[in-house]
Amino acid sequence: MIHTENLSKTYRMGDVEVQALRDVNLEIQDGEFIAIIGPSGSGKSTLLNIIGCLDKPTSGAVFIEDIDTASLSENELAEIRREKIGFIFQQYNLVHTLNAIENVALPMFFAGVKREMRLKRAEELLVKVELGDRMYHKPAELSGGEQQRVAIARALSNDPEIIIGDEPTGNVDTEAGNLIMDILDGLNRDGKMIIVVTHDAEIAARAGRTKRMRDGRVLD
Amino acid sequence: MKDAFLLVYRNIRERKTRSILTMLGVVVGIAAVIAIMSISYGMEESITEQLSEMADLIIVRPGKMSFETGYLELGSFTDRDLEDVERIEGVKKAAGMVGGMQEVEYRGEKVMVNIAGTEPMDFGAVFGERIVKHEEGRDLRDNDRKVCEIGYSIAHDYFDYEIGVNDRLTINGSKFRVVGVLEEQGGFRSNVDSQIYVTKSDALDIFNTKDIATIFVRVKEIGDADEIANEIEERIDDNHKLDDFSTAMTMGSAVESLESIFQMLQVFLVAIGSLSLIVASLGIMNTTLMSVMERTHEIGVMKAIGAKNRNILSLFLMEAGVVSGIGGVLGGVAGVFAAKVITIYIHAAFNVEIAAIVKPEVLLGGVAVAVLVGILSGFYPARKASKLSPVEAVRYE
């Protein structure tokens, strides 16, 4: 379970202070599929980054399984990202010098998993996202949808409980987007917590729960 | 580990030109140091080897070497000096040499050449254990008159025409028949190459004098050489009633002083060579910094999917280490090659035979230094990369 307590985030852009998050209190249950929607600049990406341990709040707290992430060191946060969270970006963000299977195996590499194990699991995951025949292709040789599916496989690499998607379908066509959502649905049925940020109402409709954000606040 | 290298290798290959240029900096630096060290070891070895052949030799010259005046010649030795020197305990052999520069004519061409006259039986004292062999002909004999042996350069280089056995040279108006041509000596014995040897009695005629220019002394025990040299100077100075009339130089002490000069020279040369290594390390730092900057986004992604700071740090350190390590290995090869080429050049230009000595510890040390330099200069950029905030790095395009 994840819950936030009075989560606030203030950026300083030159002389101007921007309040990206204001007192966000949110609870997400294990195995839940939640969509966060809202216009750009509403703070949804900031919220996702803080929940995903990529960023730290200015005030307030985030608890992941009762761990106060604000109290953790950089290395401990890296471990949480590695073991408990799978991140999917709008821009896929694959390492372009590595092929699909190597990209999927990368988080396991950082986790110190043995090479044979890594490659075996990476292969299974790629088959699962229907890319069994594209394993040795570099990102540049894959379509946007295919790259995003590699990214999903990579997010699953260390078998995390939480999958975070920041506009995961934002850069792909409808068909590829539907396939990606199907995969996320499937993962949710397998018991994973899915948190997706989107401004596509259709995508949001597939989530079990939808939260709307505006001006750094989560609306009820 | 293997995958880390794969990752590193892919990144190096991706920036092929830049990686090669960076590597080249290391190659030049390491090659310079290794070539310099190998050649100076070779020089030291060949000089001390040649000198230690002469370690039992004391050369006595009339005059004094000083910094103020240079070499100041005060006269010449007499037969009595030679006899006194021969009588000193510990002296195995002593030979007087009569000689000097003299005009020599061959087929109408006149050249100034150094003529050395000594008794043929005294050659042992002059040349020591290592007999100077002939390219052609024979040695001088005691009862020879008006014949000469000539050094290699006299035969081949001094005159327009080559000189061989039975050719005749005109020295001071008299014809001398060549009976022998000596083999090329080079190095510390290169003076032999440019000398004409005659018997002592012929030399006395040529120079119209009884004066002895140089006395060659061979001692029984090399360890006594310095003591004997002092005694020689004292005896001769007494004979001429002058302080500092003679200088007796032992080759053993020359070896020692040359060795220390060489060590200094080595340190100096290696210091110069190391400068290029410093430049190379700046190159590595620069390349790694650029690599970090260009890959900020990728670093962010890696951190987002769980890379710890030290994962990122080690990836970039490895990258710098691999580039400079490969540079080090290639530099070692290039250094050995350069050392060979330089010794060939030295041989061609100065007629000095030096075998470059490549010590394995120098080669291994060179590669180790290269890797170390790489890692050290990669450390700052790598640390910078590892400290990047994941959220900002991911956003960086």
Side-chain angles (χ1 to χ4, degrees), chain A residues 11 49 52-55 74-76 78-79 81-82 85 87 89 91-99 102-103 106-107 109-110 115 118-119 138 154 158, chain B residues 1-4 6-7 10-11 13-15 295 297-298 300-312 315 386-391 394-395 397:
Chain A
Y11 291 111
N49 286 338
C53 296
L54 286 178
D55 205 356
E74 267 184 63
N75 269 335
E76 288 166 326
E79 256 170 63
R81 291 197 295 267
R82 197 180 73 199
I85 298 167
F87 230 102
F89 303 90
Q91 308 289 342
Y92 333 127
N93 287 347
L94 300 177
V95 176
H96 69 288
T97 51
L98 301 180
N99 64 29
E102 288 161 349
N103 262 293
L106 198 54
F109 165 71
F110 292 130
R115 182 180 159 83
R118 290 204 298 266
L119 294 179
K138 291 267 177 75
R154 179 178 68 180
N158 285 324
Chain B
M1 203 58 182
K2 197 176 161 192
D3 292 66
L6 187 77
L7 213 64
R10 295 261 174 87
N11 281 321
R13 212 182 52 176
E14 169 126 331
R15 292 159 185 82
R295 274 149 62 195
H297 175 72
E298 186 183 309
V301 172
M302 285 189 179
K303 288 192 133 189
I305 63 172
K308 290 186 176 179
N309 288 2
R310 63 179 165 82
N311 295 133
I312 304 292
L315 279 178
S386 74
K387 294 276 180 199
L388 286 173
S389 137
V391 70
V394 168
R395 229 182 270 143
E397 287 295 341

Side-chain angles (χ1 to χ4, degrees), chain B residues 182 247 334:
Chain B
L182 297 169
T247 302

